[in-house]
Amino acid sequence: MQTAAALRLQIETALAHRIPSSLSPAPRIIRPLAPTGISAVDDLLQGGLPVGAITEIVGSECSGRTSFALSFTAQITQTGKVCAWIDVSDALSPESASATGIDLNRLLWVRCGVTNPITRPYSQIGFSLPSKYLIAPPVKKGLHGGGFGPHPRGEVKGLSTAVSGLLRSEAIAPRCAEPQRRPKVEKEIFEPNPPHSTRSIQKTITPRKLWFKPWSKIDQALRVTDLLLQAGGFSAIVLDLGSIAPEFASRIPLATWFRYRAAAERSQASILLLTQYACAKSSAGLVLRLQPAIALQDEHTVFTGIEHRVEVARERFTPTNVVPMRKQPQSARSASWHSRTAWAGQR
C-alpha cells in the first residue's frame, strides 16, 4: 500500500505540466520592512512598512499624514537612498521637510500643475520712480491752488442733472389719499431659442472655473509615477493625493494601482499613497487609517504639540510566518504617538 507522500508525489508528477505544485502550498515569503522613524508605529507593524508594496495612509486634514510620510522619507534619505515626492496640490514645505531630517539633495520634488515663470536674479530686480514724479511742478499764477488742484467750476459738474431728477413731475406732483388707477403693463413674450444656440451661449458665458476639475493634475501625477517606477532607482515614492477630494481620487482606475503594485514589487520600491479615502483597494499591501489629531493639554496658554493615533485597517502580508489562530483585538492593532513643537523642548 502506497503512503500519502508517495501518492502526493505521483499526483503532482502527473499534473506537473498543467498545475505545478498542485498539492504542495507555496512557501510564505517574508518581505523586507523599512522603519518609519516612529517607534510606536514600528512596534505595531513589527518593523515598519513593507518594501516593494503600496502603503496607503488614509486620514482627514490635520490627522498627521504628511508628518508620517516626512518621517518615513527622512529615514530613507539618511541611509543614502533616493526618494521622490509627487506633490499633486503643491502643498509640501521644503523648510518643514528639512527640519524633519530629510536630505533635500536626495529628494526629487515633483510639483504638479505649477508653471514657474522665468525669474531674474535679485541683483537685476529694481524699482525706481522717474524724477518728474518727485519734483513739484512750478506754481502757475492765476489758477486755483497754483495749478495743483481742480477748478471750482468742476466741483458742481453734473449738479443740475441730479437736481432736475429730484424735481421731476412724479416727485413733486400732489398726492391723493385715494387709490389711483394704474395702467396695466402687458407682459412681453419671448420665444425660446433653438437648443444648439442655447448650448453655445451657455458655453461662452460659463466661466472656466465653474466646470474645471483637477483631472489635469491627477493625470500628470499618475504619469510621473509611471515614469519613476519604470526608470527605477527610487527607494520610496510618495504620491500625495491628500488635498484631492475623494470624489476625484476614487475615480482613478483600479488597473492603475495594480500596475503600480507590480512595478513596485519588481523594483523593490515603497510607494506611500496619501489620501482622504481608501482608493487602492486590493492593490494596497498595507492600509493605515489616521484619526483626527488631538491637541496636548500640557499647557493652558501655549501650544506644545498634538497626539496622533493610527490604526491598521488592512494588512495583506504578515511580517512573519506565524499566523495567529484567533483574530487580535482591535486595541492591539492601533498605536499613538506625540509630536512636539520646537519651543516645547524634550520631555
Side-chain angles (χ1 to χ4, degrees):
M1 184 177 180
Q2 297 181 351
T3 60
L7 291 175
R8 175 184 298 178
L9 180 60
Q10 183 179 357
I11 294 174
E12 289 185 350
T13 303
L15 300 177
H17 64 285
R18 296 176 58 187
I19 308 175
S21 302
S22 55
L23 300 179
S24 299
R28 184 181 296 272
I29 301 175
I30 301 178
R31 292 179 174 267
L33 302 176
T36 61
I38 304 173
S39 57
V41 179
D42 292 339
D43 296 341
L44 174 65
L45 302 176
Q46 302 182 19
L49 303 182
V51 177
I54 299 177
T55 301
E56 191 168 7
I57 312 296
V58 183
S60 58
E61 296 292 339
C62 301
S63 59
R65 295 171 312 197
T66 307
S67 301
F68 186 94
L70 289 175
S71 177
F72 176 73
T73 308
Q75 295 295 317
I76 299 296
T77 56
Q78 288 174 4
T79 58
K81 300 179 181 178
V82 182
C83 301
W85 190 292
I86 304 174
D87 196 358
V88 180
S89 302
D90 192 19
L92 178 64
S93 174
E95 293 81 4
S96 301
S98 178
T100 309
I102 296 179
D103 186 3
L104 298 181
N105 295 326
R106 298 184 178 274
L107 178 66
L108 174 63
W109 181 22
V110 181
R111 304 167 64 188
C112 301
V114 178
T115 55
N116 294 328
I118 300 176
T119 58
R120 294 180 300 171
Y122 289 101
S123 59
Q124 300 180 4
I125 298 176
F127 176 77
S128 61
L129 286 175
S131 59
K132 65 178 182 178
Y133 294 105
L134 302 177
I135 302 175
V139 179
K140 299 179 182 179
K141 296 182 179 180
L143 295 180
H144 176 73
F148 292 98
H151 198 274
R153 188 179 299 171
E155 298 179 358
V156 296
K157 186 179 294 184
L159 183 60
S160 59
T161 305
V163 173
S164 62
L166 294 175
L167 300 179
R168 64 183 184 275
S169 60
E170 293 84 358
I172 63 177
R175 299 183 181 181
C176 181
E178 298 179 359
Q180 300 294 324
R181 183 178 180 181
R182 298 180 180 179
K184 185 177 181 180
V185 180
E186 297 181 359
K187 298 182 179 179
E188 299 182 6
I189 300 176
F190 298 92
E191 297 182 359
N193 295 328
H196 59 86
S197 61
T198 305
R199 293 196 189 117
S200 61
I201 293 174
Q202 289 180 355
K203 287 184 179 180
T204 56
I205 294 177
T206 304
R208 182 180 178 84
K209 292 183 179 179
L210 295 180
W211 56 268
F212 177 73
K213 296 180 181 179
W215 297 123
S216 59
K217 296 190 295 184
I218 296 176
D219 182 68
Q220 184 181 4
L222 297 179
R223 290 175 181 270
V224 170
T225 307
D226 265 327
L227 292 176
L228 296 181
L229 288 174
Q230 297 299 329
F234 294 91
S235 299
I237 299 176
V238 180
L239 180 57
D240 189 1
L241 294 173
S243 300
I244 301 298
E247 59 180 346
F248 301 131
S250 60
R251 297 183 63 179
I252 299 176
L254 296 179
T256 302
W257 307 120
F258 181 80
R259 186 172 66 253
Y260 289 173
R261 188 193 74 178
E265 188 174 357
R266 181 175 59 255
S267 61
Q268 288 298 297
S270 299
I271 300 179
L272 252 67
L273 179 61
L274 310 183
T275 57
Q276 300 181 18
Y277 174 78
C279 54
K281 305 302 179 183
S282 60
S283 298
L286 177 64
V287 180
L288 300 177
R289 191 175 302 277
L290 294 173
Q291 304 298 330
I294 302 174
L296 299 179
Q297 302 294 333
D298 297 343
E299 301 290 343
H300 296 285
T301 58
V302 181
F303 175 71
T304 58
I306 53 180
E307 178 183 358
H308 303 283
R309 188 171 184 85
V310 62
E311 174 188 346
V312 180
R314 189 172 63 84
E315 190 173 11
R316 185 177 183 184
F317 302 103
T318 56
T320 60
N321 286 332
V322 180
V323 180
M325 298 298 295
R326 296 182 180 180
K327 186 178 180 180
Q328 297 182 2
Q330 192 69 19
S331 59
R333 304 298 292 166
S334 61
S336 60
W337 77 94
H338 297 170
S339 59
R340 296 281 181 175
T341 57
W343 55 83
Q346 297 293 334
R347 296 191 178 183

